[in-house]
Structure formats: structure tokens, C-alpha cells
Amino acid sequence: MDDEKQRRIVEARMKLRERHLGKIRDSASMSDPRPMGSGAPNRHGMPKLPPGQHQTKSWPVLDLGVKPNITPSTWKLTIDGAVEEPITIDWATFMALPQTEDVSDFHCVTTWSLMDSRWKGVQASTVLALARPLESAQYAMIHAFDEYTTNVALYELLKDDVLLVHAWNGQPLPRDHGGPVRLITPQLYAWKGAKWISRIELLKQNKLGFWEDRGYSDTAHPWRDDRYS
Ligand SMILES: Nc1nc2c(c(=O)[nH]1)N[C@H]1C(S)=C(S)[C@@H](COP(=O)(O)O)O[C@H]1N2
Ligand SMILES: [Mo]
């Protein structure tokens, strides 16, 4: 990808984030005055371990039981819905986007937390900016190759640590954990992070995803013990 193209992507991302910065800053995990939990503050000033969570050393596998066999050569991601320019990108295009490395924690609603994972991938905000979400787009439905869905407010997806990851602790993301590409949402419970991500559908009106429709929280804020609706 040439410099000019990279520059335009970075600029589109900044504009998109700017539009939602107020909501990002006011969101529970950035500004909760009385977060629950224990331990030294994490990277966002929240207690390191959210309430009711315990630390796990190995990384459990949790999903609907179907593990689609997607490879880099068959993987594609579509960004559509309330956008100016629906697009589908392939692996090569994805890997040519500005790459980010970040260390973050992973909190599963079933009470385990995996701390200090080193991720590599592309910020969700960058991927979203490619399709130029409409001003009226406020929500997103994330779709996956196993038919899993989860809904996330757009301002949550635009946070800096929300990534479409392809590597974990220096290794390609294993198929069990959603490889070749999954979403991670470190400031929300982990079910919001779709494995084997296939599509981000921008929405003007909120809709409920698979677990949200089955009684799990729409907002899913770990530091408020916000597990069920
Ligand atoms: N595509 C897909 N993504 C998914 C799920 C799923 O069933 N399918 N399960 C979610 C749930 S409930 C959790 S807790 C995490 C678990 O991720 P892991 O298996 O890598 O630990 O993935 C989330 N993403
Ligand atoms: Mo889960």
C-alpha cells in the first residue's frame, strides 16, 4: 500500500474517532467514578481484576461448537450497512493496513480472566474507516463464519485497544481461538469479541446479537458486574 493511501486511511480513522470521542470518553470503562473489582489499576485506571473474576493461566476455548475452517486465503471481511462505501477486504489488504501491537486483558463472563496477552492486528477503527460509516450509524452487528453474532455500540468499537487480531503472544492466532482473524474488546466481556469474524454491519438502530438475545448484557461492562440484562 502506498504512503498516500496509508495517509488517507489514518486520516479517515481520526475523523471517525473524533466524531465519537465524547461518547468514548464518557463510556463506563473510561470514566466510571466507582469501578468495582480488585488489584492495582489497569491501563485504563480500572481495577485490574473485575468483580467476580479470577485469573487463569491457560486460555480456555468457548464457542458454539462449530469451528469453521477459515484460512488466510479464504478469509474475507465485509463492512457494510449504514456506511458510505460497503467494502470487502481479503487477507492481503488486511495485512497491508497499519498494524498495531497491544497488551491487554480478556475477561470471560464465565468468570475467568486471561491477563497480559500480547496481540497483533489492526484497530477496528481503521477497518471501519475504510467503509466510512454514516453520521447516523451508532451501533454494529458483528458476524462470524460460524453464524455467531454479537452487537457492540460503535463508540466501543472505536476504542484504541479494540483490535481485529491475527497473532497472540507472537504466534498466528490458533483456529480454536478464532484464527485467522477475530475481534477483541478488552474493556467489555469477551463474548463481544467474535472469533472468525466475517462481517461488521453498521446500524442506525440497535439490534441484539446471539447472547444478548438470550439474556446477556447489551453493554457488558466488566467493572460493573454487568453480565445479564
Ligand atoms: N464466532 C464466535 N465468536 C465467539 C464465540 C462463538 O461462539 N463464536 N463465543 C464468544 C464467547 S462466549 C467467548 S467467552 C469468547 C471465547 O473466546 P476463546 O474461545 O478464544 O476463549 O469468544 C466469543 N466469540
Ligand atoms: Mo463466553
Side-chain angles (χ1 to χ4, degrees):
M1 192 173 296
D2 58 51
D3 288 356
E4 173 59 18
K5 214 164 175 191
Q6 289 258 358
R7 197 189 56 74
R8 263 189 279 127
I9 292 169
V10 170
E11 198 172 289
R13 172 183 180 270
M14 278 173 57
K15 271 200 191 140
L16 176 61
R17 276 192 94 259
E18 229 160 69
R19 221 198 282 156
H20 294 267
L21 211 50
K23 279 190 171 170
I24 293 172
R25 287 205 186 116
D26 292 346
S27 68
S29 40
M30 304 291 271
S31 68
D32 192 335
R34 312 182 92 206
M36 300 159 72
S38 58
N42 74 2
R43 301 155 192 95
H44 303 284
M46 299 290 113
K48 203 149 188 207
L49 207 58
Q53 295 294 113
H54 67 273
Q55 202 172 330
T56 176
K57 285 277 179 280
S58 63
W59 189 8
V61 172
L62 275 176
D63 51 52
L64 302 175
V66 185
K67 296 187 205 321
N69 186 13
I70 310 295
T71 63
S73 60
T74 57
W75 181 78
K76 278 190 170 50
L77 175 72
T78 296
I79 302 107
D80 65 359
V83 300
E84 280 180 46
E85 193 185 330
I87 53 159
T88 296
I89 59 171
D90 63 8
W91 176 260
T93 306
F94 175 72
M95 295 304 278
L97 293 171
Q99 301 284 315
T100 297
E101 281 192 58
D102 194 35
V103 174
S104 66
D105 308 324
F106 190 95
H107 307 294
C108 176
V109 74
T110 62
T111 74
W112 53 265
S113 291
L114 181 71
M115 312 304 279
D116 301 312
S117 285
R118 190 159 44 83
W119 306 100
K120 188 167 181 190
V122 178
Q123 287 176 310
S125 50
T126 297
V127 167
L128 287 163
L130 296 176
R132 285 182 278 119
L134 302 178
E135 301 253 354
S136 53
Q138 299 292 339
Y139 306 91
M141 187 66 79
I142 316 293
H143 300 259
F145 284 101
D146 61 346
E147 308 284 294
Y148 182 76
T149 57
T150 182
N151 62 299
V152 186
L154 180 53
Y155 67 82
E156 289 289 352
L157 286 180
L158 297 175
K159 289 180 175 176
D160 284 331
D161 58 0
V162 176
L163 308 179
L164 272 74
V165 296
H166 56 78
W168 177 72
N169 289 347
Q171 299 295 322
L173 183 69
R175 176 177 171 185
D176 273 358
H177 290 296
V181 184
R182 79 173 297 163
L183 183 70
I184 56 157
T185 58
Q187 301 179 50
L188 301 176
Y189 284 115
W191 83 78
K192 297 284 186 182
K195 312 204 280 195
W196 315 289
I197 187 168
S198 63
R199 179 180 173 210
I200 305 177
E201 178 192 7
L202 279 294
L203 302 170
K204 298 179 185 181
Q205 305 286 336
N206 198 19
K207 274 193 217 165
L208 299 180
F210 183 86
W211 286 119
E212 292 82 5
D213 197 35
R214 287 163 176 77
Y216 281 88
S217 171
D218 194 357
T219 43
H221 181 42
W223 290 272
R224 274 287 150 116
D225 214 8
D226 172 21
R227 298 168 193 268
Y228 312 103
S229 58

Short mmCIF file of all heavy atoms in Angstrom, two decimals, residues 80-128:
data_model
loop_
_atom_site.label_atom_id
_atom_site.label_comp_id
_atom_site.label_asym_id
_atom_site.label_seq_id
_atom_site.Cartn_x
_atom_site.Cartn_y
_atom_site.Cartn_z
N ASP A 80 -20.37 -3.24 5.99
CA ASP A 80 -21.50 -2.72 5.21
C ASP A 80 -22.61 -2.21 6.13
O ASP A 80 -22.37 -1.97 7.31
CB ASP A 80 -21.99 -3.80 4.23
CG ASP A 80 -22.57 -5.02 4.94
OD1 ASP A 80 -22.59 -5.05 6.19
OD2 ASP A 80 -23.02 -5.95 4.24
N GLY A 81 -23.79 -2.04 5.61
CA GLY A 81 -24.89 -1.48 6.38
C GLY A 81 -24.88 0.04 6.24
O GLY A 81 -24.77 0.56 5.13
N ALA A 82 -24.94 0.76 7.36
CA ALA A 82 -25.02 2.22 7.35
C ALA A 82 -23.64 2.85 7.11
O ALA A 82 -23.04 3.46 7.99
CB ALA A 82 -25.63 2.71 8.66
N VAL A 83 -23.15 2.65 5.89
CA VAL A 83 -21.83 3.18 5.50
C VAL A 83 -21.95 3.86 4.13
O VAL A 83 -22.87 3.58 3.38
CB VAL A 83 -20.76 2.07 5.42
CG1 VAL A 83 -20.58 1.38 6.76
CG2 VAL A 83 -21.11 1.05 4.34
N GLU A 84 -20.99 4.72 3.83
CA GLU A 84 -20.99 5.37 2.51
C GLU A 84 -20.51 4.41 1.43
O GLU A 84 -20.94 4.50 0.29
CB GLU A 84 -20.07 6.59 2.53
CG GLU A 84 -20.71 7.81 3.16
CD GLU A 84 -19.75 8.99 3.15
OE1 GLU A 84 -19.10 9.27 2.12
OE2 GLU A 84 -19.64 9.64 4.22
N GLU A 85 -19.58 3.53 1.81
CA GLU A 85 -18.97 2.67 0.80
C GLU A 85 -18.76 1.26 1.32
O GLU A 85 -17.72 0.95 1.89
CB GLU A 85 -17.63 3.28 0.39
CG GLU A 85 -17.05 2.69 -0.86
CD GLU A 85 -15.65 3.25 -1.15
OE1 GLU A 85 -15.38 4.40 -0.79
OE2 GLU A 85 -14.84 2.50 -1.71
N PRO A 86 -19.75 0.37 1.14
CA PRO A 86 -19.58 -1.01 1.60
C PRO A 86 -18.34 -1.62 0.95
O PRO A 86 -18.12 -1.41 -0.26
CB PRO A 86 -20.84 -1.72 1.10
CG PRO A 86 -21.80 -0.66 0.73
CD PRO A 86 -21.01 0.57 0.40
N ILE A 87 -17.55 -2.33 1.72
CA ILE A 87 -16.36 -2.94 1.12
C ILE A 87 -16.13 -4.35 1.67
O ILE A 87 -16.58 -4.68 2.78
CB ILE A 87 -15.05 -2.15 1.36
CG1 ILE A 87 -14.87 -1.88 2.86
CG2 ILE A 87 -15.00 -0.86 0.59
CD1 ILE A 87 -13.42 -1.58 3.19
N THR A 88 -15.43 -5.13 0.89
CA THR A 88 -14.97 -6.45 1.34
C THR A 88 -13.47 -6.48 1.12
O THR A 88 -12.99 -6.14 0.05
CB THR A 88 -15.66 -7.56 0.52
OG1 THR A 88 -17.07 -7.51 0.79
CG2 THR A 88 -15.15 -8.94 0.92
N ILE A 89 -12.75 -6.83 2.18
CA ILE A 89 -11.28 -6.90 2.04
C ILE A 89 -10.81 -8.34 2.22
O ILE A 89 -11.44 -9.12 2.93
CB ILE A 89 -10.55 -5.97 3.04
CG1 ILE A 89 -10.89 -6.31 4.50
CG2 ILE A 89 -10.89 -4.50 2.76
CD1 ILE A 89 -10.02 -5.57 5.51
N ASP A 90 -9.71 -8.67 1.58
CA ASP A 90 -9.13 -10.00 1.74
C ASP A 90 -7.91 -9.91 2.67
O ASP A 90 -7.58 -8.84 3.19
CB ASP A 90 -8.77 -10.60 0.38
CG ASP A 90 -7.71 -9.79 -0.36
OD1 ASP A 90 -7.12 -8.85 0.23
OD2 ASP A 90 -7.46 -10.09 -1.55
N TRP A 91 -7.28 -11.03 2.88
CA TRP A 91 -6.15 -11.13 3.81
C TRP A 91 -5.02 -10.18 3.46
O TRP A 91 -4.47 -9.49 4.32
CB TRP A 91 -5.67 -12.58 3.83
CG TRP A 91 -4.47 -12.85 4.67
CD1 TRP A 91 -3.19 -12.99 4.24
CD2 TRP A 91 -4.45 -13.02 6.09
NE1 TRP A 91 -2.35 -13.23 5.31
CE2 TRP A 91 -3.10 -13.26 6.46
CE3 TRP A 91 -5.42 -12.99 7.09
CZ2 TRP A 91 -2.71 -13.47 7.79
CZ3 TRP A 91 -5.03 -13.21 8.42
CH2 TRP A 91 -3.69 -13.44 8.74
N ALA A 92 -4.67 -10.12 2.17
CA ALA A 92 -3.53 -9.28 1.75
C ALA A 92 -3.82 -7.81 2.05
O ALA A 92 -2.95 -7.08 2.55
CB ALA A 92 -3.24 -9.49 0.27
N THR A 93 -5.04 -7.39 1.77
CA THR A 93 -5.41 -6.00 2.03
C THR A 93 -5.40 -5.73 3.54
O THR A 93 -4.91 -4.69 4.00
CB THR A 93 -6.82 -5.70 1.46
OG1 THR A 93 -6.82 -6.07 0.09
CG2 THR A 93 -7.19 -4.24 1.62
N PHE A 94 -5.92 -6.67 4.30
CA PHE A 94 -5.95 -6.55 5.76
C PHE A 94 -4.54 -6.42 6.33
O PHE A 94 -4.26 -5.56 7.17
CB PHE A 94 -6.68 -7.76 6.35
CG PHE A 94 -6.69 -7.83 7.84
CD1 PHE A 94 -7.48 -6.95 8.58
CD2 PHE A 94 -5.95 -8.79 8.52
CE1 PHE A 94 -7.51 -7.01 9.97
CE2 PHE A 94 -5.97 -8.86 9.91
CZ PHE A 94 -6.76 -7.97 10.63
N MET A 95 -3.65 -7.26 5.86
CA MET A 95 -2.29 -7.26 6.39
C MET A 95 -1.49 -6.02 5.94
O MET A 95 -0.48 -5.69 6.55
CB MET A 95 -1.55 -8.54 5.98
CG MET A 95 -2.14 -9.81 6.57
SD MET A 95 -2.24 -9.80 8.38
CE MET A 95 -0.55 -10.28 8.81
N ALA A 96 -1.97 -5.36 4.87
CA ALA A 96 -1.29 -4.15 4.40
C ALA A 96 -1.77 -2.91 5.16
O ALA A 96 -1.19 -1.83 5.02
CB ALA A 96 -1.51 -3.98 2.90
N LEU A 97 -2.82 -3.04 5.96
CA LEU A 97 -3.31 -1.91 6.76
C LEU A 97 -2.34 -1.64 7.91
O LEU A 97 -1.59 -2.55 8.30
CB LEU A 97 -4.71 -2.22 7.31
CG LEU A 97 -5.83 -2.32 6.27
CD1 LEU A 97 -7.11 -2.85 6.93
CD2 LEU A 97 -6.08 -0.97 5.61
N PRO A 98 -2.35 -0.42 8.45
CA PRO A 98 -1.45 -0.13 9.59
C PRO A 98 -1.67 -1.14 10.72
O PRO A 98 -2.80 -1.36 11.16
CB PRO A 98 -1.89 1.27 10.02
CG PRO A 98 -2.52 1.89 8.81
CD PRO A 98 -3.15 0.75 8.06
N GLN A 99 -0.59 -1.78 11.15
CA GLN A 99 -0.66 -2.83 12.17
C GLN A 99 -0.38 -2.25 13.56
O GLN A 99 0.43 -1.34 13.71
CB GLN A 99 0.35 -3.94 11.85
CG GLN A 99 0.13 -4.60 10.48
CD GLN A 99 -1.04 -5.57 10.48
OE1 GLN A 99 -1.19 -6.37 11.39
NE2 GLN A 99 -1.88 -5.47 9.46
N THR A 100 -1.05 -2.83 14.55
CA THR A 100 -0.91 -2.36 15.93
C THR A 100 -0.55 -3.54 16.81
O THR A 100 -1.08 -4.64 16.63
CB THR A 100 -2.25 -1.77 16.43
OG1 THR A 100 -2.56 -0.64 15.63
CG2 THR A 100 -2.18 -1.34 17.89
N GLU A 101 0.34 -3.31 17.78
CA GLU A 101 0.59 -4.31 18.81
C GLU A 101 0.12 -3.75 20.13
O GLU A 101 0.32 -2.57 20.41
CB GLU A 101 2.08 -4.66 18.87
CG GLU A 101 2.48 -5.61 17.77
CD GLU A 101 3.88 -6.19 18.00
OE1 GLU A 101 4.10 -6.82 19.04
OE2 GLU A 101 4.72 -5.98 17.11
N ASP A 102 -0.51 -4.58 20.94
CA ASP A 102 -1.00 -4.09 22.21
C ASP A 102 -1.06 -5.24 23.21
O ASP A 102 -1.22 -6.40 22.82
CB ASP A 102 -2.41 -3.48 22.04
CG ASP A 102 -2.83 -2.65 23.23
OD1 ASP A 102 -1.97 -1.99 23.84
OD2 ASP A 102 -4.03 -2.64 23.58
N VAL A 103 -0.90 -4.89 24.48
CA VAL A 103 -1.05 -5.88 25.55
C VAL A 103 -2.35 -5.55 26.27
O VAL A 103 -2.57 -4.40 26.64
CB VAL A 103 0.15 -5.81 26.53
CG1 VAL A 103 -0.09 -6.73 27.72
CG2 VAL A 103 1.44 -6.17 25.81
N SER A 104 -3.23 -6.54 26.40
CA SER A 104 -4.48 -6.28 27.10
C SER A 104 -5.01 -7.55 27.76
O SER A 104 -4.44 -8.63 27.60
CB SER A 104 -5.52 -5.68 26.15
OG SER A 104 -5.89 -6.60 25.16
N ASP A 105 -6.09 -7.39 28.50
CA ASP A 105 -6.68 -8.49 29.28
C ASP A 105 -8.00 -8.92 28.64
O ASP A 105 -8.62 -8.15 27.92
CB ASP A 105 -6.90 -8.03 30.72
CG ASP A 105 -5.63 -7.45 31.32
OD1 ASP A 105 -4.54 -7.96 31.00
OD2 ASP A 105 -5.72 -6.45 32.07
N PHE A 106 -8.40 -10.13 28.96
CA PHE A 106 -9.52 -10.78 28.31
C PHE A 106 -10.42 -11.33 29.42
O PHE A 106 -10.00 -12.22 30.17
CB PHE A 106 -8.91 -11.90 27.46
CG PHE A 106 -9.80 -12.59 26.49
CD1 PHE A 106 -9.85 -12.19 25.15
CD2 PHE A 106 -10.56 -13.69 26.87
CE1 PHE A 106 -10.63 -12.87 24.23
CE2 PHE A 106 -11.35 -14.37 25.95
CZ PHE A 106 -11.38 -13.95 24.63
N HIS A 107 -11.61 -10.78 29.58
CA HIS A 107 -12.49 -11.16 30.69
C HIS A 107 -13.71 -11.91 30.19
O HIS A 107 -14.57 -11.33 29.53
CB HIS A 107 -12.93 -9.91 31.46
CG HIS A 107 -11.80 -9.04 31.90
ND1 HIS A 107 -10.88 -9.46 32.85
CD2 HIS A 107 -11.40 -7.80 31.52
CE1 HIS A 107 -9.98 -8.50 33.04
NE2 HIS A 107 -10.27 -7.48 32.24
N CYS A 108 -13.77 -13.20 30.50
CA CYS A 108 -14.91 -14.00 30.07
C CYS A 108 -16.00 -13.94 31.14
O CYS A 108 -15.71 -14.01 32.33
CB CYS A 108 -14.48 -15.45 29.85
SG CYS A 108 -15.87 -16.52 29.43
N VAL A 109 -17.24 -13.86 30.71
CA VAL A 109 -18.36 -13.73 31.64
C VAL A 109 -18.50 -14.97 32.53
O VAL A 109 -19.09 -14.92 33.60
CB VAL A 109 -19.66 -13.41 30.87
CG1 VAL A 109 -20.18 -14.64 30.13
CG2 VAL A 109 -20.73 -12.83 31.79
N THR A 110 -17.91 -16.10 32.10
CA THR A 110 -17.97 -17.31 32.94
C THR A 110 -16.94 -17.25 34.07
O THR A 110 -16.69 -18.27 34.73
CB THR A 110 -17.75 -18.59 32.11
OG1 THR A 110 -16.44 -18.54 31.54
CG2 THR A 110 -18.77 -18.74 30.99
N THR A 111 -16.35 -16.11 34.30
CA THR A 111 -15.50 -15.70 35.45
C THR A 111 -13.98 -15.86 35.32
O THR A 111 -13.27 -15.49 36.24
CB THR A 111 -15.92 -16.34 36.82
OG1 THR A 111 -15.51 -17.71 36.85
CG2 THR A 111 -17.42 -16.21 37.07
N TRP A 112 -13.49 -16.37 34.19
CA TRP A 112 -12.03 -16.37 34.07
C TRP A 112 -11.54 -15.13 33.32
O TRP A 112 -12.22 -14.60 32.45
CB TRP A 112 -11.49 -17.65 33.42
CG TRP A 112 -12.08 -18.03 32.09
CD1 TRP A 112 -13.12 -18.90 31.88
CD2 TRP A 112 -11.67 -17.58 30.79
NE1 TRP A 112 -13.37 -19.00 30.54
CE2 TRP A 112 -12.50 -18.20 29.85
CE3 TRP A 112 -10.68 -16.71 30.33
CZ2 TRP A 112 -12.39 -17.98 28.47
CZ3 TRP A 112 -10.56 -16.49 28.97
CH2 TRP A 112 -11.41 -17.12 28.05
N SER A 113 -10.35 -14.70 33.74
CA SER A 113 -9.69 -13.57 33.06
C SER A 113 -8.29 -14.00 32.66
O SER A 113 -7.53 -14.53 33.47
CB SER A 113 -9.61 -12.35 33.98
OG SER A 113 -10.88 -11.80 34.21
N LEU A 114 -7.96 -13.77 31.41
CA LEU A 114 -6.62 -14.05 30.89
C LEU A 114 -5.91 -12.70 30.82
O LEU A 114 -6.33 -11.81 30.08
CB LEU A 114 -6.73 -14.68 29.51
CG LEU A 114 -5.43 -15.04 28.82
CD1 LEU A 114 -4.76 -16.24 29.50
CD2 LEU A 114 -5.67 -15.36 27.34
N MET A 115 -4.83 -12.56 31.61
CA MET A 115 -4.17 -11.27 31.72
C MET A 115 -2.98 -11.15 30.77
O MET A 115 -2.32 -12.15 30.45
CB MET A 115 -3.69 -11.03 33.16
CG MET A 115 -4.73 -11.32 34.24
SD MET A 115 -6.28 -10.42 34.05
CE MET A 115 -5.83 -8.85 34.76
N ASP A 116 -2.70 -9.92 30.37
CA ASP A 116 -1.46 -9.56 29.67
C ASP A 116 -1.18 -10.35 28.40
O ASP A 116 -0.07 -10.85 28.21
CB ASP A 116 -0.26 -9.71 30.64
CG ASP A 116 -0.43 -8.83 31.87
OD1 ASP A 116 -0.75 -7.64 31.70
OD2 ASP A 116 -0.25 -9.33 33.00
N SER A 117 -2.16 -10.48 27.54
CA SER A 117 -1.92 -11.08 26.23
C SER A 117 -1.31 -10.04 25.31
O SER A 117 -1.70 -8.87 25.33
CB SER A 117 -3.23 -11.56 25.61
OG SER A 117 -3.67 -12.74 26.23
N ARG A 118 -0.37 -10.49 24.51
CA ARG A 118 0.22 -9.58 23.53
C ARG A 118 -0.41 -9.87 22.17
O ARG A 118 -0.26 -10.95 21.61
CB ARG A 118 1.75 -9.76 23.48
CG ARG A 118 2.46 -8.70 22.66
CD ARG A 118 3.94 -8.58 23.04
NE ARG A 118 4.55 -9.90 23.19
CZ ARG A 118 5.03 -10.63 22.17
NH1 ARG A 118 4.99 -10.17 20.94
NH2 ARG A 118 5.57 -11.81 22.39
N TRP A 119 -1.14 -8.90 21.67
CA TRP A 119 -1.89 -9.06 20.43
C TRP A 119 -1.25 -8.29 19.29
O TRP A 119 -0.66 -7.24 19.50
CB TRP A 119 -3.31 -8.49 20.59
CG TRP A 119 -4.08 -9.01 21.75
CD1 TRP A 119 -4.26 -8.39 22.97
CD2 TRP A 119 -4.80 -10.25 21.84
NE1 TRP A 119 -5.05 -9.17 23.78
CE2 TRP A 119 -5.39 -10.32 23.11
CE3 TRP A 119 -4.99 -11.31 20.94
CZ2 TRP A 119 -6.16 -11.39 23.52
CZ3 TRP A 119 -5.76 -12.38 21.36
CH2 TRP A 119 -6.35 -12.42 22.63
N LYS A 120 -1.46 -8.80 18.11
CA LYS A 120 -1.09 -8.02 16.93
C LYS A 120 -2.26 -8.05 15.96
O LYS A 120 -2.89 -9.10 15.75
CB LYS A 120 0.16 -8.57 16.26
CG LYS A 120 0.66 -7.66 15.15
CD LYS A 120 2.06 -8.01 14.69
CE LYS A 120 2.45 -7.03 13.60
NZ LYS A 120 3.68 -7.42 12.92
N GLY A 121 -2.56 -6.90 15.38
CA GLY A 121 -3.66 -6.83 14.44
C GLY A 121 -3.89 -5.40 13.96
O GLY A 121 -2.98 -4.58 13.99
N VAL A 122 -5.12 -5.16 13.54
CA VAL A 122 -5.49 -3.85 13.00
C VAL A 122 -6.58 -3.28 13.88
O VAL A 122 -7.51 -4.01 14.27
CB VAL A 122 -5.99 -4.00 11.54
CG1 VAL A 122 -6.43 -2.65 10.99
CG2 VAL A 122 -4.91 -4.62 10.67
N GLN A 123 -6.48 -1.99 14.22
CA GLN A 123 -7.53 -1.39 15.04
C GLN A 123 -8.87 -1.47 14.30
O GLN A 123 -8.94 -1.20 13.09
CB GLN A 123 -7.17 0.06 15.35
CG GLN A 123 -6.03 0.14 16.38
CD GLN A 123 -5.59 1.55 16.66
OE1 GLN A 123 -5.32 2.30 15.74
NE2 GLN A 123 -5.51 1.89 17.93
N ALA A 124 -9.92 -1.81 15.03
CA ALA A 124 -11.26 -1.89 14.43
C ALA A 124 -11.63 -0.54 13.81
O ALA A 124 -12.27 -0.49 12.76
CB ALA A 124 -12.29 -2.31 15.46
N SER A 125 -11.18 0.54 14.44
CA SER A 125 -11.48 1.88 13.92
C SER A 125 -10.91 2.09 12.51
O SER A 125 -11.50 2.77 11.68
CB SER A 125 -10.95 2.96 14.87
OG SER A 125 -9.60 2.70 15.19
N THR A 126 -9.76 1.50 12.26
CA THR A 126 -9.14 1.61 10.93
C THR A 126 -9.97 0.88 9.89
O THR A 126 -10.27 1.40 8.81
CB THR A 126 -7.71 1.04 10.95
OG1 THR A 126 -6.92 1.81 11.85
CG2 THR A 126 -7.07 1.04 9.58
N VAL A 127 -10.35 -0.35 10.23
CA VAL A 127 -11.15 -1.17 9.32
C VAL A 127 -12.50 -0.49 9.04
O VAL A 127 -12.97 -0.43 7.90
CB VAL A 127 -11.34 -2.58 9.93
CG1 VAL A 127 -12.39 -3.36 9.20
CG2 VAL A 127 -10.00 -3.32 9.92
N LEU A 128 -13.12 0.05 10.09
CA LEU A 128 -14.41 0.72 9.93
C LEU A 128 -14.28 1.96 9.04
O LEU A 128 -15.14 2.23 8.20
CB LEU A 128 -14.97 1.13 11.29
CG LEU A 128 -15.49 -0.03 12.14
CD1 LEU A 128 -15.64 0.39 13.59
CD2 LEU A 128 -16.83 -0.52 11.58
#
